[in-house]
Amino acid sequence: MRQGEGEAISTVEQAIDLISVVKEIHGLNSQELNKLLRDSENFTIHFVTEKGLDVKIDVEKLAGFLPLHLIAVLVSSDRDEALLRYLLCGIRILHSLCELAPRHTKLEQILLDDVKVSEQLIDLVFYVLIVLNDYRQDIHDSGPVPVLLSALVACSFYLLTGCISSQWQDLALVMVAHPKVDMFMDVACRAIHLVVRFLQNKLSVQHIEICVKSSSTTESMVNYLCQQCEASLQFLQLLCQQKPFRERLLKNKELCGKGGILFLAQSILKLHAPDFAESSAIVAALSRLKAKVLSILLHLCEAESISYLDEVASSPASLDLAKSVAFEVLELLKTGLSKNPKHLSASSDRTYPMGLLQLNAMRLADIFSDDSNFRSYITVYFTEFLSAIFSLSHGDFLSMWCSADLPVREEDATLYYEVFAAAGWALDSVSSSDLSNTSNLEFTFIPNSNMSQASYVHQRTSLFVKIIANLDCFVPNICEEQERNLFLHKFLGCLLMDPSKLLPSYAFITGPQKASAVQRNLRSLLSHAESLIPTFLNMEDLQLLRVFFDNLQLLMNPSEFEENRVQDDRSLGGCSSLLLRREPPNLNNRNGNLKEEMSENSAFQEEHFYVRNSHMDQADGVTRRDMIDDKDKSITPSGLKEIDRDVQNVETSGSDTSSTKGKNAVDKLAERQRENADVREDEKVETVQTEEKHRRKRKRTIMNDEQVTIMERALLDEPEMQRNTALIQSWADKLSHHGSEVTCSQLRNWLNNRKARLARLSKDARPPPEPDNAFAGKQGGPQQGHSLSAPDSPGQETTPSNTRGTRSMSRMNTSENPVAPEFVDYGAAEFVQCKPGQFIVLVDGRGQEIGKGKVHQVQGKWWGKSLEESGSCVVDVVDLKADRWVKLPYPSESTGTSFEDAEKKLGVMRVMWDSNKIFMLRPQ
């Protein structure tokens, strides 16, 4: 260090060392330095100090030695205020020189082209951030340290944009290639967290009370700290937008696996400034801070190479921390959505961009609610607010969610950070005892988005629909069993509560009319959601919302909402009380109201209820939904009374089994409706109201049936695709041409879920045979059956041989299994080579009849599966003897996992079955 200083001092005619030079010229901005350089000879400027001394400084040597000099000072000096002040002066000079470099070849060669100096500049920033983390003990310092440190963190970050590149994609590549990039990420996040804590302390009530005598001074200081905090966080956010940096960050165990980013997010989301509610600048700054940290979380969650939420869920501590962040996100949503835009008024003449806080919060809520680790948590803490939204008066609900226009919309912007001005304000503030003499620092904001008003509103509504669809979706073998029906039941219970506390600035419908009001709002949302497909919403989300709406209609009872019974219903335990119907609902009046409301919405007519009939096209592969048309509902009062008793018995049988048994009661309701519906056989409508049956129909996925089919076929050739990132990316690009966009990470997650699901199904198929397990014998081992070679000995049980199809059909030829009209008679059943069009009987692994049907396909591939390799064929089941929910031997997302699921997806009960468990029926 002494040799470097000696060379610098030799360029100065007066006896001034390098430290004095730094202290003297840091106040010269790039324009002033540029003027001095134009008037200089040999790149040596003449400068008159405040003491009147005329000095000469060789700017070329100053630029070459200053980075190393600052590193030496940083290492050798005490950790005090003087060090922070000097470092800030030095970085201020370096930034001004970097700004001049493009205009002066010598400076450009030194600061931008000289690899050695560039490395020193990067090392300087790294070391500054490391040293600043030693100031954590000064969190509650009310002196100059918080201001100097906050400015130094931000100025150090933006020095990198001056000495490396102002293009964020180039800066990200350089940073990722640096050998100490992981250390940089760690200390950078810690430094930003430290700045946030300084700001948090400044906003605390205790500190405000101490400084109440100089409130204007305190406001200026808080505003400055907000600016520095935002600038630092913005630096990290803009780097996270670049794929190389983001993916490297995801591999950092401290920040992602152990929750470093989550700690930072939690601190920012908890920032509040009740004492500065009248300061539009501070309120807007805090809003932008929260929007930016949510944006960072979004970028990490949407990364393609590594699942951030899986990393977070890898340890209980980080998962709990993530849930606390999710809670803060939900609180933000509640606060933002509870404000009626019509009642908002500007608090000052100048308005500041607030950032996309609400939109980013909804995006994160969508991601959290679609993840199995967070779905229950979101359901518990957000359902009451969702129920309050649907309890709004129809006019308020339409203006809030079904309109293309909002009185107020969010605006996103980038803070144009000026290092010279920011450092100067901090240095002046700590040098002056009275901040009232220091002018407020104002930065320029650059609008980020060209998003139109309509696009913003439609995105907002589509996210609202997705959150509801996520919460109501149940995926067998992935979701926990206690999640089944959780959202629907909790939503029903929350409808009994007073929503005015959650949305105080809105009007609500109460009393017996509340049920119809909620249904009307849901119907309007469905109608509006249809117009958002496919730009903002996919068909799956709309169908899940429609299922939720249908279920809600079946379970809601207007009499439950009578005002004088609300408190009683609350005491009964919330959601369960809705099922305790004391009187049968007036279905005629209900249908009449529904018809009236449907006639008001032309977009929501009968054709939007998916009805299965015998003329459906079976080759289109489109998932079908069977819905109830209200005008076809016909339930007798006596039937309802019986159902009421069933449900009440369920509710009083114990809390541990209430959800499962409650589902059975709802199943009974569905069966009664189907039995009493007077519908032609070829146009029979299947009721869709039980959670178990609904959610078996569809896995929550971003791919349509065609995309799933493509992937199933591709996996035949590449069964280990999930291990090849390049191959996954290639197929993700191909899939995007056949439906909605599919990212690499989404496809990887789909592959992993598929593999796990098939493993579970395989495991389920291995246990010993049980009476209710139709495929217990599929995995081999001793099985009961009758030899086909001895049809005249039906009572003789033998061990099956290795010959395929050694099962007797004698058990089926009983009075318990009457012959269907489509078949002549059993006669002697035998196994033969199947041909399309043949009538057959399906049996399970124990030789018991499953049903009768007709062969559809015997060779080639069916939805990606080779029939020859699997020893199977495709049949259309005509007369099913087993339960409709029985699992199929070849479950698939595209073709169904049960008989009922297959019928819903394909329109007919078309399934893939082992050839050795199929027997042809021939006439006697």
Side-chain angles (χ1 to χ4, degrees), residues 752-770:
N752 291 335
N753 289 337
R754 174 185 179 274
K755 185 176 181 180
R757 185 177 59 258
L758 293 178
R760 290 190 188 97
L761 291 173
S762 176
K763 182 179 179 181
D764 292 342
R766 283 194 290 270
E770 293 181 3

mmCIF file with all atom_site columns, all heavy atoms in Angstrom, residues 752-770:
data_model
loop_
_atom_site.group_PDB
_atom_site.id
_atom_site.type_symbol
_atom_site.label_atom_id
_atom_site.label_alt_id
_atom_site.label_comp_id
_atom_site.label_asym_id
_atom_site.label_entity_id
_atom_site.label_seq_id
_atom_site.pdbx_PDB_ins_code
_atom_site.Cartn_x
_atom_site.Cartn_y
_atom_site.Cartn_z
_atom_site.occupancy
_atom_site.B_iso_or_equiv
_atom_site.pdbx_formal_charge
_atom_site.auth_seq_id
_atom_site.auth_comp_id
_atom_site.auth_asym_id
_atom_site.auth_atom_id
_atom_site.pdbx_PDB_model_num
ATOM 1   N N   . ASN A 1 752 ? -41.621 -35.725 -12.502 1.00 0.00 ? 752 ASN A N   1
ATOM 2   C CA  . ASN A 1 752 ? -41.370 -36.257 -11.164 1.00 0.00 ? 752 ASN A CA  1
ATOM 3   C C   . ASN A 1 752 ? -42.662 -36.700 -10.485 1.00 0.00 ? 752 ASN A C   1
ATOM 4   O O   . ASN A 1 752 ? -42.710 -37.750 -9.830  1.00 0.00 ? 752 ASN A O   1
ATOM 5   C CB  . ASN A 1 752 ? -40.655 -35.209 -10.307 1.00 0.00 ? 752 ASN A CB  1
ATOM 6   C CG  . ASN A 1 752 ? -39.233 -34.961 -10.779 1.00 0.00 ? 752 ASN A CG  1
ATOM 7   O OD1 . ASN A 1 752 ? -38.615 -35.818 -11.391 1.00 0.00 ? 752 ASN A OD1 1
ATOM 8   N ND2 . ASN A 1 752 ? -38.713 -33.769 -10.513 1.00 0.00 ? 752 ASN A ND2 1
ATOM 9   N N   . ASN A 1 753 ? -43.712 -35.884 -10.621 1.00 0.00 ? 753 ASN A N   1
ATOM 10  C CA  . ASN A 1 753 ? -45.002 -36.261 -10.032 1.00 0.00 ? 753 ASN A CA  1
ATOM 11  C C   . ASN A 1 753 ? -45.556 -37.523 -10.670 1.00 0.00 ? 753 ASN A C   1
ATOM 12  O O   . ASN A 1 753 ? -46.134 -38.387 -9.996  1.00 0.00 ? 753 ASN A O   1
ATOM 13  C CB  . ASN A 1 753 ? -46.005 -35.107 -10.184 1.00 0.00 ? 753 ASN A CB  1
ATOM 14  C CG  . ASN A 1 753 ? -45.675 -33.948 -9.282  1.00 0.00 ? 753 ASN A CG  1
ATOM 15  O OD1 . ASN A 1 753 ? -45.001 -34.117 -8.270  1.00 0.00 ? 753 ASN A OD1 1
ATOM 16  N ND2 . ASN A 1 753 ? -46.139 -32.765 -9.637  1.00 0.00 ? 753 ASN A ND2 1
ATOM 17  N N   . ARG A 1 754 ? -45.370 -37.630 -11.983 1.00 0.00 ? 754 ARG A N   1
ATOM 18  C CA  . ARG A 1 754 ? -45.855 -38.816 -12.694 1.00 0.00 ? 754 ARG A CA  1
ATOM 19  C C   . ARG A 1 754 ? -45.130 -40.063 -12.202 1.00 0.00 ? 754 ARG A C   1
ATOM 20  O O   . ARG A 1 754 ? -45.745 -41.104 -11.948 1.00 0.00 ? 754 ARG A O   1
ATOM 21  C CB  . ARG A 1 754 ? -45.637 -38.639 -14.197 1.00 0.00 ? 754 ARG A CB  1
ATOM 22  C CG  . ARG A 1 754 ? -45.968 -39.860 -15.044 1.00 0.00 ? 754 ARG A CG  1
ATOM 23  C CD  . ARG A 1 754 ? -45.593 -39.601 -16.503 1.00 0.00 ? 754 ARG A CD  1
ATOM 24  N NE  . ARG A 1 754 ? -45.881 -40.747 -17.328 1.00 0.00 ? 754 ARG A NE  1
ATOM 25  C CZ  . ARG A 1 754 ? -45.036 -41.779 -17.494 1.00 0.00 ? 754 ARG A CZ  1
ATOM 26  N NH1 . ARG A 1 754 ? -43.871 -41.774 -16.871 1.00 0.00 ? 754 ARG A NH1 1
ATOM 27  N NH2 . ARG A 1 754 ? -45.366 -42.793 -18.282 1.00 0.00 ? 754 ARG A NH2 1
ATOM 28  N N   . LYS A 1 755 ? -43.829 -39.945 -12.054 1.00 0.00 ? 755 LYS A N   1
ATOM 29  C CA  . LYS A 1 755 ? -43.048 -41.088 -11.585 1.00 0.00 ? 755 LYS A CA  1
ATOM 30  C C   . LYS A 1 755 ? -43.459 -41.491 -10.178 1.00 0.00 ? 755 LYS A C   1
ATOM 31  O O   . LYS A 1 755 ? -43.616 -42.686 -9.875  1.00 0.00 ? 755 LYS A O   1
ATOM 32  C CB  . LYS A 1 755 ? -41.563 -40.720 -11.620 1.00 0.00 ? 755 LYS A CB  1
ATOM 33  C CG  . LYS A 1 755 ? -40.639 -41.877 -11.275 1.00 0.00 ? 755 LYS A CG  1
ATOM 34  C CD  . LYS A 1 755 ? -39.181 -41.471 -11.435 1.00 0.00 ? 755 LYS A CD  1
ATOM 35  C CE  . LYS A 1 755 ? -38.263 -42.640 -11.117 1.00 0.00 ? 755 LYS A CE  1
ATOM 36  N NZ  . LYS A 1 755 ? -36.840 -42.256 -11.278 1.00 0.00 ? 755 LYS A NZ  1
ATOM 37  N N   . ALA A 1 756 ? -43.650 -40.493 -9.306  1.00 0.00 ? 756 ALA A N   1
ATOM 38  C CA  . ALA A 1 756 ? -44.051 -40.788 -7.933  1.00 0.00 ? 756 ALA A CA  1
ATOM 39  C C   . ALA A 1 756 ? -45.441 -41.410 -7.885  1.00 0.00 ? 756 ALA A C   1
ATOM 40  O O   . ALA A 1 756 ? -45.707 -42.329 -7.106  1.00 0.00 ? 756 ALA A O   1
ATOM 41  C CB  . ALA A 1 756 ? -44.008 -39.514 -7.096  1.00 0.00 ? 756 ALA A CB  1
ATOM 42  N N   . ARG A 1 757 ? -46.340 -40.899 -8.729  1.00 0.00 ? 757 ARG A N   1
ATOM 43  C CA  . ARG A 1 757 ? -47.708 -41.416 -8.737  1.00 0.00 ? 757 ARG A CA  1
ATOM 44  C C   . ARG A 1 757 ? -47.732 -42.872 -9.202  1.00 0.00 ? 757 ARG A C   1
ATOM 45  O O   . ARG A 1 757 ? -48.427 -43.707 -8.621  1.00 0.00 ? 757 ARG A O   1
ATOM 46  C CB  . ARG A 1 757 ? -48.578 -40.549 -9.646  1.00 0.00 ? 757 ARG A CB  1
ATOM 47  C CG  . ARG A 1 757 ? -50.052 -40.931 -9.631  1.00 0.00 ? 757 ARG A CG  1
ATOM 48  C CD  . ARG A 1 757 ? -50.868 -39.989 -10.480 1.00 0.00 ? 757 ARG A CD  1
ATOM 49  N NE  . ARG A 1 757 ? -50.420 -39.964 -11.848 1.00 0.00 ? 757 ARG A NE  1
ATOM 50  C CZ  . ARG A 1 757 ? -49.673 -39.011 -12.396 1.00 0.00 ? 757 ARG A CZ  1
ATOM 51  N NH1 . ARG A 1 757 ? -49.266 -38.009 -11.647 1.00 0.00 ? 757 ARG A NH1 1
ATOM 52  N NH2 . ARG A 1 757 ? -49.305 -39.046 -13.661 1.00 0.00 ? 757 ARG A NH2 1
ATOM 53  N N   . LEU A 1 758 ? -46.983 -43.177 -10.261 1.00 0.00 ? 758 LEU A N   1
ATOM 54  C CA  . LEU A 1 758 ? -46.951 -44.551 -10.758 1.00 0.00 ? 758 LEU A CA  1
ATOM 55  C C   . LEU A 1 758 ? -46.323 -45.484 -9.727  1.00 0.00 ? 758 LEU A C   1
ATOM 56  O O   . LEU A 1 758 ? -46.727 -46.643 -9.605  1.00 0.00 ? 758 LEU A O   1
ATOM 57  C CB  . LEU A 1 758 ? -46.164 -44.604 -12.076 1.00 0.00 ? 758 LEU A CB  1
ATOM 58  C CG  . LEU A 1 758 ? -46.822 -43.889 -13.263 1.00 0.00 ? 758 LEU A CG  1
ATOM 59  C CD1 . LEU A 1 758 ? -45.927 -43.971 -14.488 1.00 0.00 ? 758 LEU A CD1 1
ATOM 60  C CD2 . LEU A 1 758 ? -48.194 -44.477 -13.562 1.00 0.00 ? 758 LEU A CD2 1
ATOM 61  N N   . ALA A 1 759 ? -45.344 -44.971 -8.981  1.00 0.00 ? 759 ALA A N   1
ATOM 62  C CA  . ALA A 1 759 ? -44.733 -45.795 -7.938  1.00 0.00 ? 759 ALA A CA  1
ATOM 63  C C   . ALA A 1 759 ? -45.743 -46.107 -6.842  1.00 0.00 ? 759 ALA A C   1
ATOM 64  O O   . ALA A 1 759 ? -45.797 -47.221 -6.331  1.00 0.00 ? 759 ALA A O   1
ATOM 65  C CB  . ALA A 1 759 ? -43.518 -45.074 -7.351  1.00 0.00 ? 759 ALA A CB  1
ATOM 66  N N   . ARG A 1 760 ? -46.564 -45.116 -6.496  1.00 0.00 ? 760 ARG A N   1
ATOM 67  C CA  . ARG A 1 760 ? -47.585 -45.345 -5.471  1.00 0.00 ? 760 ARG A CA  1
ATOM 68  C C   . ARG A 1 760 ? -48.624 -46.342 -5.954  1.00 0.00 ? 760 ARG A C   1
ATOM 69  O O   . ARG A 1 760 ? -49.073 -47.206 -5.207  1.00 0.00 ? 760 ARG A O   1
ATOM 70  C CB  . ARG A 1 760 ? -48.255 -44.016 -5.103  1.00 0.00 ? 760 ARG A CB  1
ATOM 71  C CG  . ARG A 1 760 ? -47.358 -43.063 -4.349  1.00 0.00 ? 760 ARG A CG  1
ATOM 72  C CD  . ARG A 1 760 ? -48.160 -41.885 -3.826  1.00 0.00 ? 760 ARG A CD  1
ATOM 73  N NE  . ARG A 1 760 ? -47.307 -40.867 -3.254  1.00 0.00 ? 760 ARG A NE  1
ATOM 74  C CZ  . ARG A 1 760 ? -46.898 -39.790 -3.889  1.00 0.00 ? 760 ARG A CZ  1
ATOM 75  N NH1 . ARG A 1 760 ? -47.287 -39.571 -5.124  1.00 0.00 ? 760 ARG A NH1 1
ATOM 76  N NH2 . ARG A 1 760 ? -46.121 -38.910 -3.288  1.00 0.00 ? 760 ARG A NH2 1
ATOM 77  N N   . LEU A 1 761 ? -49.027 -46.193 -7.222  1.00 0.00 ? 761 LEU A N   1
ATOM 78  C CA  . LEU A 1 761 ? -50.013 -47.119 -7.771  1.00 0.00 ? 761 LEU A CA  1
ATOM 79  C C   . LEU A 1 761 ? -49.463 -48.531 -7.808  1.00 0.00 ? 761 LEU A C   1
ATOM 80  O O   . LEU A 1 761 ? -50.175 -49.501 -7.533  1.00 0.00 ? 761 LEU A O   1
ATOM 81  C CB  . LEU A 1 761 ? -50.422 -46.657 -9.171  1.00 0.00 ? 761 LEU A CB  1
ATOM 82  C CG  . LEU A 1 761 ? -51.238 -45.367 -9.242  1.00 0.00 ? 761 LEU A CG  1
ATOM 83  C CD1 . LEU A 1 761 ? -51.429 -44.932 -10.688 1.00 0.00 ? 761 LEU A CD1 1
ATOM 84  C CD2 . LEU A 1 761 ? -52.589 -45.551 -8.571  1.00 0.00 ? 761 LEU A CD2 1
ATOM 85  N N   . SER A 1 762 ? -48.203 -48.658 -8.144  1.00 0.00 ? 762 SER A N   1
ATOM 86  C CA  . SER A 1 762 ? -47.581 -49.979 -8.168  1.00 0.00 ? 762 SER A CA  1
ATOM 87  C C   . SER A 1 762 ? -47.523 -50.575 -6.769  1.00 0.00 ? 762 SER A C   1
ATOM 88  O O   . SER A 1 762 ? -47.754 -51.766 -6.569  1.00 0.00 ? 762 SER A O   1
ATOM 89  C CB  . SER A 1 762 ? -46.167 -49.872 -8.750  1.00 0.00 ? 762 SER A CB  1
ATOM 90  O OG  . SER A 1 762 ? -45.510 -51.113 -8.693  1.00 0.00 ? 762 SER A OG  1
ATOM 91  N N   . LYS A 1 763 ? -47.245 -49.699 -5.804  1.00 0.00 ? 763 LYS A N   1
ATOM 92  C CA  . LYS A 1 763 ? -47.202 -50.149 -4.409  1.00 0.00 ? 763 LYS A CA  1
ATOM 93  C C   . LYS A 1 763 ? -48.583 -50.586 -3.933  1.00 0.00 ? 763 LYS A C   1
ATOM 94  O O   . LYS A 1 763 ? -48.740 -51.576 -3.225  1.00 0.00 ? 763 LYS A O   1
ATOM 95  C CB  . LYS A 1 763 ? -46.663 -49.027 -3.523  1.00 0.00 ? 763 LYS A CB  1
ATOM 96  C CG  . LYS A 1 763 ? -46.525 -49.417 -2.063  1.00 0.00 ? 763 LYS A CG  1
ATOM 97  C CD  . LYS A 1 763 ? -45.954 -48.252 -1.267  1.00 0.00 ? 763 LYS A CD  1
ATOM 98  C CE  . LYS A 1 763 ? -45.831 -48.629 0.193   1.00 0.00 ? 763 LYS A CE  1
ATOM 99  N NZ  . LYS A 1 763 ? -45.297 -47.494 0.995   1.00 0.00 ? 763 LYS A NZ  1
ATOM 100 N N   . ASP A 1 764 ? -49.612 -49.808 -4.342  1.00 0.00 ? 764 ASP A N   1
ATOM 101 C CA  . ASP A 1 764 ? -50.983 -50.152 -3.950  1.00 0.00 ? 764 ASP A CA  1
ATOM 102 C C   . ASP A 1 764 ? -51.409 -51.488 -4.519  1.00 0.00 ? 764 ASP A C   1
ATOM 103 O O   . ASP A 1 764 ? -52.275 -52.171 -3.960  1.00 0.00 ? 764 ASP A O   1
ATOM 104 C CB  . ASP A 1 764 ? -51.951 -49.061 -4.416  1.00 0.00 ? 764 ASP A CB  1
ATOM 105 C CG  . ASP A 1 764 ? -51.731 -47.766 -3.653  1.00 0.00 ? 764 ASP A CG  1
ATOM 106 O OD1 . ASP A 1 764 ? -51.100 -47.827 -2.577  1.00 0.00 ? 764 ASP A OD1 1
ATOM 107 O OD2 . ASP A 1 764 ? -52.176 -46.719 -4.152  1.00 0.00 ? 764 ASP A OD2 1
ATOM 108 N N   . ALA A 1 765 ? -50.833 -51.876 -5.647  1.00 0.00 ? 765 ALA A N   1
ATOM 109 C CA  . ALA A 1 765 ? -51.250 -53.117 -6.308  1.00 0.00 ? 765 ALA A CA  1
ATOM 110 C C   . ALA A 1 765 ? -50.605 -54.348 -5.705  1.00 0.00 ? 765 ALA A C   1
ATOM 111 O O   . ALA A 1 765 ? -50.979 -55.463 -6.007  1.00 0.00 ? 765 ALA A O   1
ATOM 112 C CB  . ALA A 1 765 ? -50.920 -53.051 -7.800  1.00 0.00 ? 765 ALA A CB  1
ATOM 113 N N   . ARG A 1 766 ? -49.633 -54.182 -4.802  1.00 0.00 ? 766 ARG A N   1
ATOM 114 C CA  . ARG A 1 766 ? -48.891 -55.321 -4.274  1.00 0.00 ? 766 ARG A CA  1
ATOM 115 C C   . ARG A 1 766 ? -49.465 -55.977 -3.021  1.00 0.00 ? 766 ARG A C   1
ATOM 116 O O   . ARG A 1 766 ? -49.144 -57.119 -2.731  1.00 0.00 ? 766 ARG A O   1
ATOM 117 C CB  . ARG A 1 766 ? -47.441 -54.904 -4.011  1.00 0.00 ? 766 ARG A CB  1
ATOM 118 C CG  . ARG A 1 766 ? -46.609 -54.828 -5.267  1.00 0.00 ? 766 ARG A CG  1
ATOM 119 C CD  . ARG A 1 766 ? -45.146 -54.756 -4.911  1.00 0.00 ? 766 ARG A CD  1
ATOM 120 N NE  . ARG A 1 766 ? -44.750 -53.508 -4.306  1.00 0.00 ? 766 ARG A NE  1
ATOM 121 C CZ  . ARG A 1 766 ? -44.324 -52.459 -5.002  1.00 0.00 ? 766 ARG A CZ  1
ATOM 122 N NH1 . ARG A 1 766 ? -44.275 -52.514 -6.302  1.00 0.00 ? 766 ARG A NH1 1
ATOM 123 N NH2 . ARG A 1 766 ? -43.964 -51.349 -4.376  1.00 0.00 ? 766 ARG A NH2 1
ATOM 124 N N   . PRO A 1 767 ? -50.309 -55.317 -2.221  1.00 0.00 ? 767 PRO A N   1
ATOM 125 C CA  . PRO A 1 767 ? -50.772 -55.972 -0.991  1.00 0.00 ? 767 PRO A CA  1
ATOM 126 C C   . PRO A 1 767 ? -51.571 -57.237 -1.276  1.00 0.00 ? 767 PRO A C   1
ATOM 127 O O   . PRO A 1 767 ? -52.073 -57.444 -2.379  1.00 0.00 ? 767 PRO A O   1
ATOM 128 C CB  . PRO A 1 767 ? -51.672 -54.910 -0.346  1.00 0.00 ? 767 PRO A CB  1
ATOM 129 C CG  . PRO A 1 767 ? -51.193 -53.630 -0.911  1.00 0.00 ? 767 PRO A CG  1
ATOM 130 C CD  . PRO A 1 767 ? -50.786 -53.952 -2.304  1.00 0.00 ? 767 PRO A CD  1
ATOM 131 N N   . PRO A 1 768 ? -51.732 -58.109 -0.263  1.00 0.00 ? 768 PRO A N   1
ATOM 132 C CA  . PRO A 1 768 ? -52.504 -59.346 -0.444  1.00 0.00 ? 768 PRO A CA  1
ATOM 133 C C   . PRO A 1 768 ? -53.928 -59.026 -0.841  1.00 0.00 ? 768 PRO A C   1
ATOM 134 O O   . PRO A 1 768 ? -54.447 -57.956 -0.529  1.00 0.00 ? 768 PRO A O   1
ATOM 135 C CB  . PRO A 1 768 ? -52.455 -60.009 0.948   1.00 0.00 ? 768 PRO A CB  1
ATOM 136 C CG  . PRO A 1 768 ? -51.251 -59.422 1.604   1.00 0.00 ? 768 PRO A CG  1
ATOM 137 C CD  . PRO A 1 768 ? -51.131 -58.026 1.078   1.00 0.00 ? 768 PRO A CD  1
ATOM 138 N N   . PRO A 1 769 ? -54.604 -59.976 -1.525  1.00 0.00 ? 769 PRO A N   1
ATOM 139 C CA  . PRO A 1 769 ? -55.963 -59.727 -1.990  1.00 0.00 ? 769 PRO A CA  1
ATOM 140 C C   . PRO A 1 769 ? -56.907 -59.446 -0.847  1.00 0.00 ? 769 PRO A C   1
ATOM 141 O O   . PRO A 1 769 ? -56.860 -60.085 0.197   1.00 0.00 ? 769 PRO A O   1
ATOM 142 C CB  . PRO A 1 769 ? -56.340 -61.027 -2.722  1.00 0.00 ? 769 PRO A CB  1
ATOM 143 C CG  . PRO A 1 769 ? -55.033 -61.675 -3.033  1.00 0.00 ? 769 PRO A CG  1
ATOM 144 C CD  . PRO A 1 769 ? -54.093 -61.286 -1.952  1.00 0.00 ? 769 PRO A CD  1
ATOM 145 N N   . GLU A 1 770 ? -57.774 -58.459 -1.045  1.00 0.00 ? 770 GLU A N   1
ATOM 146 C CA  . GLU A 1 770 ? -58.828 -58.142 -0.107  1.00 0.00 ? 770 GLU A CA  1
ATOM 147 C C   . GLU A 1 770 ? -60.142 -58.075 -0.870  1.00 0.00 ? 770 GLU A C   1
ATOM 148 O O   . GLU A 1 770 ? -60.156 -57.867 -2.078  1.00 0.00 ? 770 GLU A O   1
ATOM 149 C CB  . GLU A 1 770 ? -58.559 -56.813 0.592   1.00 0.00 ? 770 GLU A CB  1
ATOM 150 C CG  . GLU A 1 770 ? -57.340 -56.877 1.498   1.00 0.00 ? 770 GLU A CG  1
ATOM 151 C CD  . GLU A 1 770 ? -57.108 -55.542 2.190   1.00 0.00 ? 770 GLU A CD  1
ATOM 152 O OE1 . GLU A 1 770 ? -57.946 -54.643 1.985   1.00 0.00 ? 770 GLU A OE1 1
ATOM 153 O OE2 . GLU A 1 770 ? -56.115 -55.413 2.917   1.00 0.00 ? 770 GLU A OE2 1
#
